[in-house]
Amino acid sequence: MSKNTSNFKNNTNTDELVSSKKKVKKPSKYKVVLLNDDYTPMEFVVEVLTMFFSKNEEEAMKIMLHIHQKGLGLCGFYSFDVAETKVTQVMAYSIRHNHPLQCKMEKD
Ligand code: TYC
């Protein structure tokens, strides 16, 4: 019979296993939203949604119209770092094209 050298077999220390499990938290998700304004052309918002949020034309148009009517709309859920990068990229792109489009992130 072979000797058990594993650290995991025959482990009766369940307290340790339970407490180590509790420490593992899911990373927070962040919403990235676009805000409505009176000046940004609708086509530009559709372009932003396709370029930065991987939406197809139909989805992008739907989201843009939702923002236009309700004041803001969800572009996607991301980790903190990805959400922050999306916001920075969209804001830089809007400024470069002289549009006042605002993009923000919110903790879920
Ligand atoms: N309200 C804009 C217009 O009428 C269109 C628009 C939609 C602007 C969505 C921003 O996030 C936005 N030209």
Side-chain angles (χ1 to χ4, degrees), residues 32-36 45 48-49 53 63 67 71-75 90 94 101-104:
V32 174
V33 297
L34 282 175
L35 307 186
N36 189 36
V45 180
V48 163
L49 287 161
F53 301 101
I63 296 167
I67 302 165
L72 95 177
L74 180 66
C75 305
V90 171
S94 300
L101 181 64
Q102 295 292 306
C103 183
K104 301 205 179 299

Side-chain angles (χ1 to χ4, degrees), residues 51-52 82-94 96:
M51 277 179 62
F52 297 101
V82 174
E84 202 181 35
T85 302
K86 300 259 179 214
V87 171
T88 304
Q89 287 174 337
V90 171
M91 291 306 297
Y93 191 69
S94 300
R96 184 143 59 86

